Amino acid sequence: MRLHQKGELSILRDLKEKFNPLLKRKDSGIIVGIGDDAAVFTCPNEKILVTTDMMNEGVHFDLSYTSASQLGFKLVSVNVSDIYAMGGKPKFIFLNIALRGDVSDEFFWDFFDGISIANNIYGLKLLGGDISSTINDMSVSATVVGVGQKIIKRSGARIGDKIYLTNSTGDSACGLEILKKLSSRGRNIIKSYGFGIINKEKRQQKWLTLNNTNSKNIKLDFNNAEPLIKRHLMPVVRYSEEINEIGTSMIDVSDGLFIDLLRVCDESGVGARLYLDRIPISKNLKYACKLLNLNPYKLATSGGEDYELLFTAPDGIYPFKDVVSTPANSSSKQLSITCIGEIIPNARVVIALDGTELPLRAEGYQHFGS
Ligand code: ADP
Ligand code: MG
């Protein structure tokens, strides 16, 4: 069935039936959930954080290689990432979705399945939203409400602080490059990816073949390509109590490592020195870049959508150049933290692999950028 055959009232009734029963927990502070003119909740003695992020078809996602559930999952993750990046914990989510009338019922509920899976991982409750029809492209947006005690802003970096990055960046951008080169068969396999369950077709698949316009096709080992693609399509974002305790400033790397670090510098009124040889490159990124003829450092420093945390902390907390691993929340296996540079008075520079000092340029994604 198509959405325009169902009508808004019936859709909203189904949504209410699906999500309101999850709100029963007494300690959640929820007074009114889905179904009234506004949601109502209490958050006594806590600071309240609110963030919103939208995703537009053709700009943020491409339905030829993204399933509805992957889209829903990612929408929640990117919003939660902003709450984590402030040191908060997400609690409630609101969704605004604009869909074409010819979208199937199945697509709609798959999208909400992705939302539900993410909500479970992050401990979120859906409290409301809006639905609208649209003539052309789809647009989905979420607003997440979180709570926190110690808030970590972009503006807290101090001269002498070390700069740290969780895990590694560049995987998502590389995943996107792979997705764009996939044949329609490959795209359909990726779209059939669920969450956690091992896909049958994937198991039989050893290689992923990419179309290459100039030369012969490229074959990537599925085991290496899959984590990169997943990082792009279904990012799981991380929370760390430890970072919250020591961080002086923090940002989630959504547009690119360099551009996001420069935002911290601007807000804090400081400079930064990064060491390229300390920027972690995952083994999968290394592997794929070699075959795709891409520069892994370029992707790690200017590729977007990894949603890792970039933070500063006073010197001496972690030994310089050391990699510290701490167990993260249930949604991720391990969180590794690498020191990649330091905060200095004014200059924003990067020490290249050959030791030369180069200016740190705002490379990364900008809407309305040239
Ligand atoms: P109103 O016309 O008063 O704005 P709506 O008819 O749009 O109310 O929505 C009815 C109820 O359904 C509200 O509680 C609203 O929050 C909820 N709702 C609408 N769209 C969504 C959505 N996409 N996700 C969750 N709840 C929704
Ligand atoms: Mg409304």
Side-chain angles (χ1 to χ4, degrees):
M1 197 188 267
R2 309 275 148 186
L3 287 188
H4 63 71
Q5 295 165 296
K6 284 207 78 175
E8 184 183 346
L9 287 183
S10 138
I11 296 167
L12 290 179
R13 195 179 53 235
D14 292 348
L15 263 182
K16 186 176 158 184
E17 260 170 39
K18 184 176 161 85
F19 284 94
N20 269 0
L22 306 173
L23 305 181
K24 290 280 155 57
R25 271 187 53 208
K26 281 223 173 71
D27 60 348
S28 61
I30 300 161
I31 298 165
V32 179
I34 294 172
D36 215 314
D37 293 316
V40 183
F41 56 81
T42 58
C43 294
N45 306 321
E46 302 214 73
K47 295 191 182 93
I48 295 172
L49 298 86
V50 184
T51 187
T52 187
D53 251 326
M54 68 160 122
M55 292 173 63
N56 294 320
E57 188 177 359
V59 180
H60 299 94
F61 62 91
D62 182 331
L63 294 173
S64 73
Y65 52 72
T66 311
S67 73
S69 60
Q70 290 162 352
L71 177 64
F73 186 90
K74 184 167 177 177
L75 178 66
V76 178
S77 285
V78 305
N79 277 278
V80 167
S81 179
D82 282 320
I83 297 287
Y84 283 167
M86 299 288 290
K89 280 192 174 167
K91 270 184 93 95
F92 308 124
I93 184 164
F94 297 83
L95 296 173
N96 289 334
I97 53 187
L99 302 172
R100 285 180 295 273
D102 63 358
V103 160
S104 69
D105 221 20
E106 194 192 349
F107 183 97
F108 184 84
W109 290 110
D110 276 354
F111 173 78
F112 275 93
D113 276 348
I115 298 279
S116 293
I117 292 164
N119 282 357
N120 281 336
I121 291 179
Y122 303 120
L124 275 167
K125 304 280 186 224
L126 178 64
L127 286 196
D130 201 11
I131 295 176
S132 165
S133 56
T134 175
I135 299 163
N136 289 311
D137 293 337
M138 249 175 228
S139 179
V140 294
S141 157
T143 299
V144 170
V145 176
V147 294
Q149 290 298 336
K150 182 187 170 211
I151 302 298
I152 307 181
K153 299 197 280 183
R154 296 179 180 183
S155 58
R158 295 290 167 261
I159 294 161
D161 281 357
K162 299 295 185 194
I163 302 167
Y164 296 94
L165 178 69
T166 59
N167 301 314
S168 69
T169 50
D171 283 16
S172 173
C174 188
L176 177 60
E177 289 303 316
I178 294 170
L179 286 166
K180 287 199 275 192
K181 287 187 160 67
L182 278 183
S183 64
S184 60
R185 180 167 174 271
R187 288 177 183 219
N188 283 331
I189 295 175
I190 300 302
K191 276 171 84 169
S192 75
Y193 267 29
F195 295 86
I197 304 139
I198 295 161
N199 183 286
K200 235 185 177 177
E201 200 171 350
K202 185 214 116 182
R203 280 214 144 163
Q204 291 159 357
Q205 188 99 3
K206 167 87 176 106
W207 301 100
L208 201 56
T209 309
L210 308 188
N211 295 325
N212 205 1
T213 35
N214 304 323
S215 50
K216 68 177 174 51
N217 289 345
I218 302 167
K219 270 178 147 187
L220 292 182
D221 190 312
F222 220 96
N223 291 326
N224 293 101
E226 189 195 61
L228 301 170
I229 290 168
K230 278 196 168 167
R231 193 69 203 154
H232 184 76
L233 288 180
M234 324 153 160
V236 177
V237 297
R238 296 171 186 85
Y239 174 79
S240 164
E241 203 82 57
E242 188 185 7
I243 296 174
N244 286 1
E245 278 163 23
I246 61 167
T248 50
S249 73
M250 184 148 64
I251 188 168
D252 62 323
V253 184
S254 54
D255 294 332
L257 182 60
F258 280 1
I259 199 169
D260 287 324
L261 175 63
L262 288 173
R263 288 178 170 145
V264 170
C265 289
D266 285 343
E267 290 299 315
S268 300
V270 295
R273 184 187 295 121
L274 281 194
Y275 299 88
L276 210 55
D277 66 351
R278 289 184 185 157
I279 290 173
I281 306 285
S282 76
K283 74 170 199 314
N284 295 323
L285 181 61
K286 232 176 260 173
Y287 166 87
C289 281
K290 208 167 173 189
L291 291 173
L292 291 168
N293 199 22
L294 296 168
N295 182 342
Y297 285 98
K298 174 111 184 127
L299 293 183
T301 57
S302 63
E305 300 200 283
D306 282 293
Y307 303 102
E308 294 297 344
L309 294 171
L310 178 69
F311 66 98
T312 55
D315 191 12
I317 290 198
Y318 294 134
F320 201 61
K321 216 182 167 180
D322 205 4
V323 176
V324 180
S325 289
T326 61
N329 67 0
S330 60
S331 58
S332 64
K333 287 170 227 119
Q334 277 265 299
L335 187 68
S336 72
I337 298 171
T338 308
C339 179
I340 58 169
E342 63 244 347
I343 296 295
I344 57 176
N346 294 308
R348 289 114 193 250
V349 295
V350 56
I351 309 299
L353 297 178
D354 64 2
T356 52
E357 190 179 279
L358 302 170
L360 195 69
R361 292 240 163 75
E363 283 169 6
Y365 188 75
Q366 288 187 67
H367 290 277
F368 312 112
S370 52

